Short mmCIF file of all heavy atoms in Angstrom, two decimals:
data_model
loop_
_atom_site.label_atom_id
_atom_site.label_comp_id
_atom_site.label_asym_id
_atom_site.label_seq_id
_atom_site.Cartn_x
_atom_site.Cartn_y
_atom_site.Cartn_z
N GLU A 9 53.85 17.58 -45.20
CA GLU A 9 53.86 16.27 -44.57
C GLU A 9 53.17 16.31 -43.20
O GLU A 9 53.76 16.04 -42.16
CB GLU A 9 55.30 15.77 -44.40
CG GLU A 9 56.01 15.55 -45.72
CD GLU A 9 57.35 14.90 -45.51
OE1 GLU A 9 58.17 15.51 -44.82
OE2 GLU A 9 57.57 13.80 -46.02
N PRO A 10 51.85 16.62 -43.18
CA PRO A 10 51.18 16.78 -41.90
C PRO A 10 51.19 15.52 -41.07
O PRO A 10 51.16 15.57 -39.86
CB PRO A 10 49.75 17.17 -42.31
CG PRO A 10 49.60 16.71 -43.72
CD PRO A 10 50.97 16.83 -44.32
N HIS A 11 51.23 14.34 -41.72
CA HIS A 11 51.20 13.10 -40.96
C HIS A 11 52.50 12.86 -40.21
O HIS A 11 52.57 12.00 -39.34
CB HIS A 11 50.92 11.92 -41.89
CG HIS A 11 51.95 11.72 -42.97
ND1 HIS A 11 52.06 12.58 -44.03
CD2 HIS A 11 52.91 10.78 -43.12
CE1 HIS A 11 53.05 12.16 -44.82
NE2 HIS A 11 53.58 11.09 -44.29
N LYS A 12 53.54 13.63 -40.49
CA LYS A 12 54.81 13.48 -39.80
C LYS A 12 55.04 14.59 -38.78
O LYS A 12 56.12 14.69 -38.20
CB LYS A 12 55.97 13.45 -40.80
CG LYS A 12 55.94 12.23 -41.71
CD LYS A 12 57.15 12.23 -42.62
CE LYS A 12 57.13 11.00 -43.54
NZ LYS A 12 58.29 10.98 -44.45
N LEU A 13 54.04 15.43 -38.59
CA LEU A 13 54.19 16.55 -37.69
C LEU A 13 54.48 16.06 -36.28
O LEU A 13 53.87 15.11 -35.79
CB LEU A 13 52.91 17.38 -37.67
CG LEU A 13 52.94 18.66 -36.86
CD1 LEU A 13 53.95 19.63 -37.42
CD2 LEU A 13 51.57 19.27 -36.83
N GLU A 14 55.44 16.68 -35.61
CA GLU A 14 55.80 16.31 -34.26
C GLU A 14 55.81 17.54 -33.36
O GLU A 14 56.04 18.65 -33.80
CB GLU A 14 57.19 15.67 -34.20
CG GLU A 14 57.26 14.30 -34.85
CD GLU A 14 58.64 13.70 -34.69
OE1 GLU A 14 59.63 14.46 -34.59
OE2 GLU A 14 58.73 12.48 -34.65
N ILE A 15 55.51 17.29 -32.11
CA ILE A 15 55.71 18.29 -31.08
C ILE A 15 57.10 18.05 -30.50
O ILE A 15 57.50 16.93 -30.29
CB ILE A 15 54.68 18.14 -29.94
CG1 ILE A 15 53.28 18.39 -30.47
CG2 ILE A 15 54.99 19.08 -28.79
CD1 ILE A 15 52.22 18.02 -29.48
N ARG A 16 57.83 19.12 -30.24
CA ARG A 16 59.09 19.00 -29.51
C ARG A 16 58.99 19.90 -28.29
O ARG A 16 58.71 21.07 -28.40
CB ARG A 16 60.27 19.41 -30.40
CG ARG A 16 60.47 18.48 -31.58
CD ARG A 16 61.63 18.95 -32.42
NE ARG A 16 61.81 18.08 -33.57
CZ ARG A 16 62.58 16.99 -33.58
NH1 ARG A 16 63.22 16.64 -32.49
NH2 ARG A 16 62.71 16.26 -34.66
N GLN A 17 59.20 19.32 -27.14
CA GLN A 17 59.08 20.13 -25.94
C GLN A 17 60.22 19.79 -24.98
O GLN A 17 60.72 18.69 -24.93
CB GLN A 17 57.74 19.95 -25.26
CG GLN A 17 57.47 18.56 -24.70
CD GLN A 17 56.16 18.54 -23.96
OE1 GLN A 17 55.27 19.32 -24.25
NE2 GLN A 17 56.03 17.65 -23.01
N HIS A 18 60.61 20.80 -24.26
CA HIS A 18 61.72 20.70 -23.32
C HIS A 18 61.39 19.65 -22.26
O HIS A 18 60.26 19.54 -21.79
CB HIS A 18 61.95 22.07 -22.68
CG HIS A 18 63.27 22.22 -22.02
ND1 HIS A 18 63.59 21.58 -20.85
CD2 HIS A 18 64.35 22.96 -22.36
CE1 HIS A 18 64.82 21.93 -20.48
NE2 HIS A 18 65.30 22.76 -21.38
N ASN A 19 62.38 18.87 -21.86
CA ASN A 19 62.15 17.83 -20.87
C ASN A 19 61.64 18.38 -19.55
O ASN A 19 60.95 17.68 -18.80
CB ASN A 19 63.44 17.04 -20.62
CG ASN A 19 63.71 16.04 -21.73
OD1 ASN A 19 62.82 15.72 -22.50
ND2 ASN A 19 64.93 15.56 -21.81
N ALA A 20 61.95 19.63 -19.24
CA ALA A 20 61.44 20.23 -18.02
C ALA A 20 59.92 20.27 -18.03
O ALA A 20 59.27 20.15 -17.00
CB ALA A 20 62.01 21.63 -17.84
N ILE A 21 59.33 20.45 -19.23
CA ILE A 21 57.87 20.47 -19.32
C ILE A 21 57.30 19.06 -19.24
O ILE A 21 56.26 18.83 -18.65
CB ILE A 21 57.43 21.18 -20.62
CG1 ILE A 21 57.69 22.67 -20.48
CG2 ILE A 21 55.96 20.91 -20.92
CD1 ILE A 21 57.31 23.47 -21.68
N THR A 22 58.00 18.09 -19.81
CA THR A 22 57.54 16.71 -19.75
C THR A 22 57.37 16.26 -18.31
O THR A 22 56.44 15.53 -17.97
CB THR A 22 58.53 15.78 -20.47
OG1 THR A 22 58.66 16.19 -21.83
CG2 THR A 22 58.05 14.35 -20.44
N THR A 23 58.27 16.69 -17.43
CA THR A 23 58.23 16.24 -16.05
C THR A 23 57.70 17.30 -15.08
O THR A 23 57.74 17.10 -13.87
CB THR A 23 59.63 15.80 -15.59
OG1 THR A 23 60.55 16.88 -15.81
CG2 THR A 23 60.09 14.58 -16.36
N ALA A 24 57.23 18.44 -15.60
CA ALA A 24 56.68 19.47 -14.73
C ALA A 24 55.36 19.02 -14.13
O ALA A 24 54.67 18.15 -14.66
CB ALA A 24 56.46 20.76 -15.53
N ARG A 25 55.01 19.64 -13.00
CA ARG A 25 53.72 19.34 -12.37
C ARG A 25 52.66 20.25 -12.98
O ARG A 25 52.77 21.46 -12.96
CB ARG A 25 53.79 19.61 -10.87
CG ARG A 25 54.81 18.79 -10.12
CD ARG A 25 54.50 18.77 -8.63
NE ARG A 25 54.35 20.08 -8.03
CZ ARG A 25 55.34 20.76 -7.46
NH1 ARG A 25 56.56 20.28 -7.47
NH2 ARG A 25 55.12 21.93 -6.91
N TYR A 26 51.64 19.65 -13.55
CA TYR A 26 50.51 20.45 -13.99
C TYR A 26 49.31 19.54 -14.19
O TYR A 26 49.43 18.35 -14.42
CB TYR A 26 50.79 21.24 -15.28
CG TYR A 26 51.16 20.43 -16.51
CD1 TYR A 26 50.17 19.97 -17.37
CD2 TYR A 26 52.48 20.15 -16.81
CE1 TYR A 26 50.50 19.25 -18.50
CE2 TYR A 26 52.82 19.44 -17.94
CZ TYR A 26 51.83 18.99 -18.78
OH TYR A 26 52.16 18.27 -19.91
N GLU A 27 48.14 20.14 -14.09
CA GLU A 27 46.88 19.41 -14.19
C GLU A 27 46.11 19.92 -15.39
O GLU A 27 45.91 21.12 -15.55
CB GLU A 27 46.06 19.61 -12.92
CG GLU A 27 44.60 19.20 -13.03
CD GLU A 27 44.39 17.70 -13.09
OE1 GLU A 27 45.37 16.96 -13.01
OE2 GLU A 27 43.23 17.27 -13.23
N MET A 28 45.69 19.01 -16.27
CA MET A 28 44.89 19.40 -17.43
C MET A 28 43.88 18.30 -17.74
O MET A 28 44.15 17.12 -17.53
CB MET A 28 45.76 19.61 -18.67
CG MET A 28 46.59 20.86 -18.69
SD MET A 28 47.39 21.05 -20.32
CE MET A 28 48.43 22.47 -19.99
N SER A 29 42.74 18.71 -18.28
CA SER A 29 41.78 17.75 -18.81
C SER A 29 42.25 17.30 -20.19
O SER A 29 43.18 17.87 -20.77
CB SER A 29 40.40 18.39 -18.90
OG SER A 29 40.41 19.41 -19.90
N ALA A 30 41.58 16.29 -20.73
CA ALA A 30 41.96 15.79 -22.05
C ALA A 30 41.79 16.86 -23.13
O ALA A 30 42.64 17.01 -24.01
CB ALA A 30 41.13 14.56 -22.40
N ILE A 31 40.70 17.63 -23.09
CA ILE A 31 40.48 18.65 -24.12
C ILE A 31 41.52 19.77 -23.98
O ILE A 31 42.01 20.29 -24.99
CB ILE A 31 39.04 19.23 -24.05
CG1 ILE A 31 38.83 20.25 -25.19
CG2 ILE A 31 38.74 19.85 -22.73
CD1 ILE A 31 37.42 20.78 -25.26
N GLU A 32 41.89 20.12 -22.76
CA GLU A 32 42.93 21.13 -22.57
C GLU A 32 44.26 20.65 -23.13
O GLU A 32 45.00 21.42 -23.76
CB GLU A 32 43.08 21.45 -21.08
CG GLU A 32 41.91 22.21 -20.48
CD GLU A 32 42.00 22.24 -18.97
OE1 GLU A 32 43.08 22.55 -18.44
OE2 GLU A 32 40.99 21.92 -18.30
N MET A 33 44.57 19.37 -22.92
CA MET A 33 45.81 18.83 -23.46
C MET A 33 45.79 18.85 -24.98
O MET A 33 46.79 19.19 -25.62
CB MET A 33 46.02 17.39 -22.97
CG MET A 33 46.48 17.30 -21.54
SD MET A 33 46.97 15.62 -21.12
CE MET A 33 47.32 15.83 -19.38
N ASP A 34 44.66 18.50 -25.58
CA ASP A 34 44.59 18.51 -27.05
C ASP A 34 44.80 19.92 -27.60
O ASP A 34 45.50 20.10 -28.60
CB ASP A 34 43.24 17.95 -27.51
CG ASP A 34 43.15 16.44 -27.37
OD1 ASP A 34 44.22 15.80 -27.17
OD2 ASP A 34 42.05 15.89 -27.45
N ILE A 35 44.19 20.91 -26.97
CA ILE A 35 44.41 22.29 -27.40
C ILE A 35 45.88 22.66 -27.23
O ILE A 35 46.49 23.29 -28.10
CB ILE A 35 43.50 23.25 -26.62
CG1 ILE A 35 42.03 23.03 -26.99
CG2 ILE A 35 43.89 24.71 -26.89
CD1 ILE A 35 41.04 23.82 -26.14
N SER A 36 46.46 22.25 -26.11
CA SER A 36 47.87 22.57 -25.85
C SER A 36 48.78 21.90 -26.87
O SER A 36 49.73 22.51 -27.36
CB SER A 36 48.25 22.12 -24.44
OG SER A 36 47.48 22.79 -23.48
N PHE A 37 48.50 20.63 -27.20
CA PHE A 37 49.31 19.93 -28.19
C PHE A 37 49.23 20.64 -29.54
O PHE A 37 50.24 20.82 -30.24
CB PHE A 37 48.83 18.48 -28.36
CG PHE A 37 49.08 17.61 -27.16
CD1 PHE A 37 48.26 16.52 -26.92
CD2 PHE A 37 50.11 17.87 -26.29
CE1 PHE A 37 48.48 15.70 -25.83
CE2 PHE A 37 50.34 17.07 -25.19
CZ PHE A 37 49.52 15.98 -24.95
N PHE A 38 48.03 21.05 -29.92
CA PHE A 38 47.85 21.73 -31.20
C PHE A 38 48.60 23.05 -31.21
O PHE A 38 49.22 23.43 -32.20
CB PHE A 38 46.36 21.95 -31.45
CG PHE A 38 45.99 22.03 -32.90
CD1 PHE A 38 45.97 20.89 -33.68
CD2 PHE A 38 45.64 23.23 -33.50
CE1 PHE A 38 45.62 20.95 -35.02
CE2 PHE A 38 45.29 23.30 -34.83
CZ PHE A 38 45.28 22.15 -35.60
N LEU A 39 48.55 23.76 -30.08
CA LEU A 39 49.28 25.02 -29.95
C LEU A 39 50.79 24.77 -30.03
O LEU A 39 51.51 25.47 -30.76
CB LEU A 39 48.93 25.67 -28.62
CG LEU A 39 49.79 26.88 -28.19
CD1 LEU A 39 49.66 28.02 -29.20
CD2 LEU A 39 49.39 27.33 -26.80
#
Side-chain angles (χ1 to χ4, degrees):
E9 296 187 300
H11 61 289
K12 294 183 180 179
L13 185 64
E14 291 183 332
I15 296 170
R16 295 179 181 271
Q17 65 176 26
H18 197 289
N19 282 344
I21 288 179
T22 301
T23 55
R25 300 199 306 268
Y26 60 89
E27 165 72 2
M28 286 187 186
S29 67
I31 183 176
E32 290 168 48
M33 284 189 184
D34 285 345
I35 292 173
S36 299
F37 292 154
F38 207 74
L39 170 62

